[in-house]
Amino acid sequence: MRHLMSPLDFSVEELDQLMDLAGDIEAHPEKYAHACAGKKLATLFYEPSTRTRLSHEAAMMNLGGNVLGFSSAASSSATKGESVADTIRMVSCYADICAIRHPKEGAPMVAAQHSSIPVINAGDGGHQHPTQTLTDLLTIRSLKGRLNNLKIGLCGDLKFGRTVHSLINALVRYENIEFVLISPEELRLPGYVRKDVLDKKNIPYTEVERLEDALPDLDILYMTRVQKERFFNEEDYVRMKDFYILDKGKMELAPKDMLVLHPLPRVNEISVEVDDDPRAVYFKQVQYGVYIRMALILTLLDIHVD
């Protein structure tokens, strides 16, 4: 039995197979419409989510399966003091596979250690968000045609952004990858990610504060919001939240074939006027998220469709 805790749980070859499967699902959805008939996905979401929870649920329903779960800690027995370990033991009696989001780093790992069904980490604090990373990889590969030879700008909250940390960990396994880290001093990429991942693997990167300085030679711009829920005080959040706003004027500085990705939700870091730009692919990214989660559910349940 396999779980997904980190993008690194799959080898590059396995990621390619997963993305190939997602591509086949996109091309032939009817072939997979009943693949999970009689199976149940439990979504255990201890903190709010729209896309991640609904896309897991849509993925299972597209496969002909059923879903059950809760959408906040307040609507679960966590309010009575039930541990994650006990919750997953109980849920293992109800469902065939589970997706868990939790504000505490490592909570999905605890769940996996006590589970008798596959567990998907749907985000744990500021740590990892592997299914978003799979979504990002599929989006880039599908629209760029490759996952190597890329210059990627990561912009916004690089300190607390679990999507950024996961994506860096995944992309450094591909050839000729370069990062431009675009953030204010207070939200720089944590030292442990720079040292243990980028420096250790000799991945070239530059750190800049101005988005305009980075835009002219990027293949991918990955925008992120400044996350209010990760700040300890309102004052710091208010000071940081509008540090970067991507608008039409800035997009004129970018290459014609650059792609703009965003894990969403967007607050105001991308102006709505950018939405009509063909380089803005963040809503396509949402659709790719359903395909890759369908592929992941099939893979973890070891279901093969001929």
Side-chain angles (χ1 to χ4, degrees), residues 45-47 70-84 87 90 102:
F45 277 64
Y46 289 83
E47 63 177 5
F70 53 81
S71 57
S72 74
S75 58
S76 77
S77 288
T79 57
K80 303 173 187 175
E82 183 172 57
S83 67
V84 168
T87 298
M90 176 267 299
H102 202 283

PDB file of all heavy atoms in Angstrom, residues 45-47 70-84 87 90 102:
ATOM      1  N   PHE A  45     -10.676  17.392   6.054  1.00  0.00           N
ATOM      2  CA  PHE A  45     -10.102  18.729   5.909  1.00  0.00           C
ATOM      3  C   PHE A  45     -10.249  19.502   7.214  1.00  0.00           C
ATOM      4  O   PHE A  45     -11.339  19.964   7.558  1.00  0.00           O
ATOM      5  CB  PHE A  45     -10.744  19.458   4.721  1.00  0.00           C
ATOM      6  CG  PHE A  45     -10.093  19.083   3.414  1.00  0.00           C
ATOM      7  CD1 PHE A  45     -10.159  17.782   2.935  1.00  0.00           C
ATOM      8  CD2 PHE A  45      -9.372  20.014   2.685  1.00  0.00           C
ATOM      9  CE1 PHE A  45      -9.530  17.415   1.765  1.00  0.00           C
ATOM     10  CE2 PHE A  45      -8.737  19.666   1.502  1.00  0.00           C
ATOM     11  CZ  PHE A  45      -8.814  18.361   1.038  1.00  0.00           C
ATOM     12  N   TYR A  46      -9.132  19.607   7.933  1.00  0.00           N
ATOM     13  CA  TYR A  46      -9.103  20.280   9.228  1.00  0.00           C
ATOM     14  C   TYR A  46      -8.939  21.788   9.078  1.00  0.00           C
ATOM     15  O   TYR A  46      -8.939  22.498  10.065  1.00  0.00           O
ATOM     16  CB  TYR A  46      -7.955  19.737  10.079  1.00  0.00           C
ATOM     17  CG  TYR A  46      -8.163  18.329  10.576  1.00  0.00           C
ATOM     18  CD1 TYR A  46      -7.878  17.223   9.776  1.00  0.00           C
ATOM     19  CD2 TYR A  46      -8.635  18.087  11.874  1.00  0.00           C
ATOM     20  CE1 TYR A  46      -8.059  15.923  10.228  1.00  0.00           C
ATOM     21  CE2 TYR A  46      -8.814  16.801  12.339  1.00  0.00           C
ATOM     22  CZ  TYR A  46      -8.530  15.723  11.517  1.00  0.00           C
ATOM     23  OH  TYR A  46      -8.708  14.438  11.985  1.00  0.00           O
ATOM     24  N   GLU A  47      -8.706  22.263   7.857  1.00  0.00           N
ATOM     25  CA  GLU A  47      -8.684  23.705   7.608  1.00  0.00           C
ATOM     26  C   GLU A  47      -9.372  23.973   6.279  1.00  0.00           C
ATOM     27  O   GLU A  47      -9.482  23.077   5.436  1.00  0.00           O
ATOM     28  CB  GLU A  47      -7.265  24.291   7.648  1.00  0.00           C
ATOM     29  CG  GLU A  47      -6.305  23.796   6.607  1.00  0.00           C
ATOM     30  CD  GLU A  47      -4.942  24.496   6.703  1.00  0.00           C
ATOM     31  OE1 GLU A  47      -4.720  25.294   7.635  1.00  0.00           O
ATOM     32  OE2 GLU A  47      -4.106  24.250   5.827  1.00  0.00           O
ATOM     33  N   PHE A  70     -15.390  15.639   6.037  1.00  0.00           N
ATOM     34  CA  PHE A  70     -15.747  16.906   6.674  1.00  0.00           C
ATOM     35  C   PHE A  70     -14.854  18.003   6.117  1.00  0.00           C
ATOM     36  O   PHE A  70     -13.765  17.746   5.607  1.00  0.00           O
ATOM     37  CB  PHE A  70     -15.646  16.819   8.204  1.00  0.00           C
ATOM     38  CG  PHE A  70     -14.322  16.327   8.730  1.00  0.00           C
ATOM     39  CD1 PHE A  70     -13.227  17.177   8.848  1.00  0.00           C
ATOM     40  CD2 PHE A  70     -14.169  14.998   9.133  1.00  0.00           C
ATOM     41  CE1 PHE A  70     -12.015  16.732   9.343  1.00  0.00           C
ATOM     42  CE2 PHE A  70     -12.950  14.541   9.626  1.00  0.00           C
ATOM     43  CZ  PHE A  70     -11.874  15.410   9.746  1.00  0.00           C
ATOM     44  N   SER A  71     -15.339  19.256   6.200  1.00  0.00           N
ATOM     45  CA  SER A  71     -14.654  20.376   5.558  1.00  0.00           C
ATOM     46  C   SER A  71     -14.018  21.347   6.540  1.00  0.00           C
ATOM     47  O   SER A  71     -13.447  22.353   6.142  1.00  0.00           O
ATOM     48  CB  SER A  71     -15.638  21.139   4.660  1.00  0.00           C
ATOM     49  OG  SER A  71     -16.740  21.576   5.419  1.00  0.00           O
ATOM     50  N   SER A  72     -14.098  21.059   7.837  1.00  0.00           N
ATOM     51  CA  SER A  72     -13.404  21.884   8.836  1.00  0.00           C
ATOM     52  C   SER A  72     -13.274  21.093  10.122  1.00  0.00           C
ATOM     53  O   SER A  72     -14.072  20.188  10.398  1.00  0.00           O
ATOM     54  CB  SER A  72     -14.161  23.190   9.105  1.00  0.00           C
ATOM     55  OG  SER A  72     -15.311  22.945   9.879  1.00  0.00           O
ATOM     56  N   ALA A  73     -12.259  21.444  10.914  1.00  0.00           N
ATOM     57  CA  ALA A  73     -12.063  20.755  12.200  1.00  0.00           C
ATOM     58  C   ALA A  73     -13.287  20.925  13.091  1.00  0.00           C
ATOM     59  O   ALA A  73     -13.640  20.030  13.872  1.00  0.00           O
ATOM     60  CB  ALA A  73     -10.821  21.304  12.896  1.00  0.00           C
ATOM     61  N   ALA A  74     -13.964  22.072  12.951  1.00  0.00           N
ATOM     62  CA  ALA A  74     -15.124  22.366  13.802  1.00  0.00           C
ATOM     63  C   ALA A  74     -16.267  21.383  13.571  1.00  0.00           C
ATOM     64  O   ALA A  74     -17.096  21.172  14.459  1.00  0.00           O
ATOM     65  CB  ALA A  74     -15.606  23.789  13.554  1.00  0.00           C
ATOM     66  N   SER A  75     -16.306  20.780  12.374  1.00  0.00           N
ATOM     67  CA  SER A  75     -17.384  19.831  12.090  1.00  0.00           C
ATOM     68  C   SER A  75     -16.932  18.387  12.237  1.00  0.00           C
ATOM     69  O   SER A  75     -17.543  17.472  11.707  1.00  0.00           O
ATOM     70  CB  SER A  75     -17.931  20.077  10.673  1.00  0.00           C
ATOM     71  OG  SER A  75     -16.899  19.946   9.711  1.00  0.00           O
ATOM     72  N   SER A  76     -15.832  18.169  12.964  1.00  0.00           N
ATOM     73  CA  SER A  76     -15.328  16.821  13.205  1.00  0.00           C
ATOM     74  C   SER A  76     -15.168  16.578  14.700  1.00  0.00           C
ATOM     75  O   SER A  76     -15.300  17.499  15.512  1.00  0.00           O
ATOM     76  CB  SER A  76     -13.958  16.635  12.522  1.00  0.00           C
ATOM     77  OG  SER A  76     -12.936  17.267  13.279  1.00  0.00           O
ATOM     78  N   SER A  77     -14.840  15.337  15.050  1.00  0.00           N
ATOM     79  CA  SER A  77     -14.634  15.003  16.467  1.00  0.00           C
ATOM     80  C   SER A  77     -13.326  15.548  17.016  1.00  0.00           C
ATOM     81  O   SER A  77     -13.011  15.338  18.188  1.00  0.00           O
ATOM     82  CB  SER A  77     -14.698  13.476  16.663  1.00  0.00           C
ATOM     83  OG  SER A  77     -16.027  13.031  16.528  1.00  0.00           O
ATOM     84  N   ALA A  78     -12.562  16.270  16.167  1.00  0.00           N
ATOM     85  CA  ALA A  78     -11.368  16.959  16.674  1.00  0.00           C
ATOM     86  C   ALA A  78     -11.764  17.952  17.764  1.00  0.00           C
ATOM     87  O   ALA A  78     -10.992  18.218  18.688  1.00  0.00           O
ATOM     88  CB  ALA A  78     -10.652  17.682  15.537  1.00  0.00           C
ATOM     89  N   THR A  79     -12.987  18.494  17.643  1.00  0.00           N
ATOM     90  CA  THR A  79     -13.455  19.455  18.661  1.00  0.00           C
ATOM     91  C   THR A  79     -13.631  18.775  20.015  1.00  0.00           C
ATOM     92  O   THR A  79     -13.640  19.434  21.050  1.00  0.00           O
ATOM     93  CB  THR A  79     -14.792  20.101  18.250  1.00  0.00           C
ATOM     94  OG1 THR A  79     -15.757  19.062  18.034  1.00  0.00           O
ATOM     95  CG2 THR A  79     -14.638  20.927  16.983  1.00  0.00           C
ATOM     96  N   LYS A  80     -13.755  17.440  19.988  1.00  0.00           N
ATOM     97  CA  LYS A  80     -13.892  16.683  21.251  1.00  0.00           C
ATOM     98  C   LYS A  80     -12.545  16.151  21.733  1.00  0.00           C
ATOM     99  O   LYS A  80     -12.479  15.466  22.749  1.00  0.00           O
ATOM    100  CB  LYS A  80     -14.849  15.501  21.046  1.00  0.00           C
ATOM    101  CG  LYS A  80     -16.231  15.901  20.547  1.00  0.00           C
ATOM    102  CD  LYS A  80     -17.042  14.656  20.205  1.00  0.00           C
ATOM    103  CE  LYS A  80     -18.370  15.037  19.548  1.00  0.00           C
ATOM    104  NZ  LYS A  80     -19.109  13.837  19.100  1.00  0.00           N
ATOM    105  N   GLY A  81     -11.510  16.455  20.957  1.00  0.00           N
ATOM    106  CA  GLY A  81     -10.176  16.025  21.356  1.00  0.00           C
ATOM    107  C   GLY A  81      -9.699  14.754  20.690  1.00  0.00           C
ATOM    108  O   GLY A  81      -8.661  14.208  21.062  1.00  0.00           O
ATOM    109  N   GLU A  82     -10.423  14.258  19.684  1.00  0.00           N
ATOM    110  CA  GLU A  82      -9.997  13.032  19.016  1.00  0.00           C
ATOM    111  C   GLU A  82      -8.701  13.276  18.239  1.00  0.00           C
ATOM    112  O   GLU A  82      -8.555  14.290  17.550  1.00  0.00           O
ATOM    113  CB  GLU A  82     -11.077  12.527  18.055  1.00  0.00           C
ATOM    114  CG  GLU A  82     -10.689  11.208  17.386  1.00  0.00           C
ATOM    115  CD  GLU A  82     -11.825  10.597  16.577  1.00  0.00           C
ATOM    116  OE1 GLU A  82     -12.335  11.287  15.669  1.00  0.00           O
ATOM    117  OE2 GLU A  82     -12.197   9.456  16.872  1.00  0.00           O
ATOM    118  N   SER A  83      -7.764  12.347  18.342  1.00  0.00           N
ATOM    119  CA  SER A  83      -6.472  12.481  17.665  1.00  0.00           C
ATOM    120  C   SER A  83      -6.600  12.119  16.189  1.00  0.00           C
ATOM    121  O   SER A  83      -7.540  11.422  15.773  1.00  0.00           O
ATOM    122  CB  SER A  83      -5.442  11.559  18.314  1.00  0.00           C
ATOM    123  OG  SER A  83      -5.786  10.196  18.076  1.00  0.00           O
ATOM    124  N   VAL A  84      -5.638  12.603  15.397  1.00  0.00           N
ATOM    125  CA  VAL A  84      -5.592  12.246  13.978  1.00  0.00           C
ATOM    126  C   VAL A  84      -5.445  10.736  13.820  1.00  0.00           C
ATOM    127  O   VAL A  84      -6.074  10.123  12.950  1.00  0.00           O
ATOM    128  CB  VAL A  84      -4.422  12.986  13.277  1.00  0.00           C
ATOM    129  CG1 VAL A  84      -4.162  12.420  11.881  1.00  0.00           C
ATOM    130  CG2 VAL A  84      -4.713  14.482  13.195  1.00  0.00           C
ATOM    131  N   THR A  87      -8.790   9.150  14.384  1.00  0.00           N
ATOM    132  CA  THR A  87      -9.710   9.491  13.293  1.00  0.00           C
ATOM    133  C   THR A  87      -9.434   8.639  12.064  1.00  0.00           C
ATOM    134  O   THR A  87     -10.355   8.099  11.444  1.00  0.00           O
ATOM    135  CB  THR A  87      -9.593  10.991  12.932  1.00  0.00           C
ATOM    136  OG1 THR A  87      -9.968  11.776  14.061  1.00  0.00           O
ATOM    137  CG2 THR A  87     -10.504  11.346  11.763  1.00  0.00           C
ATOM    138  N   MET A  90     -10.570   5.059  12.367  1.00  0.00           N
ATOM    139  CA  MET A  90     -12.022   4.968  12.209  1.00  0.00           C
ATOM    140  C   MET A  90     -12.416   5.129  10.739  1.00  0.00           C
ATOM    141  O   MET A  90     -13.197   4.342  10.196  1.00  0.00           O
ATOM    142  CB  MET A  90     -12.659   6.052  13.090  1.00  0.00           C
ATOM    143  CG  MET A  90     -14.157   6.186  13.005  1.00  0.00           C
ATOM    144  SD  MET A  90     -14.634   7.417  11.797  1.00  0.00           S
ATOM    145  CE  MET A  90     -13.887   8.905  12.444  1.00  0.00           C
ATOM    146  N   HIS A 102      -4.324  19.464   6.943  1.00  0.00           N
ATOM    147  CA  HIS A 102      -4.213  19.775   8.376  1.00  0.00           C
ATOM    148  C   HIS A 102      -3.275  20.970   8.555  1.00  0.00           C
ATOM    149  O   HIS A 102      -2.290  21.107   7.828  1.00  0.00           O
ATOM    150  CB  HIS A 102      -3.639  18.561   9.115  1.00  0.00           C
ATOM    151  CG  HIS A 102      -3.961  18.538  10.575  1.00  0.00           C
ATOM    152  ND1 HIS A 102      -3.306  19.339  11.487  1.00  0.00           N
ATOM    153  CD2 HIS A 102      -4.863  17.812  11.284  1.00  0.00           C
ATOM    154  CE1 HIS A 102      -3.790  19.100  12.697  1.00  0.00           C
ATOM    155  NE2 HIS A 102      -4.747  18.187  12.600  1.00  0.00           N
TER     156      HIS A 102
END
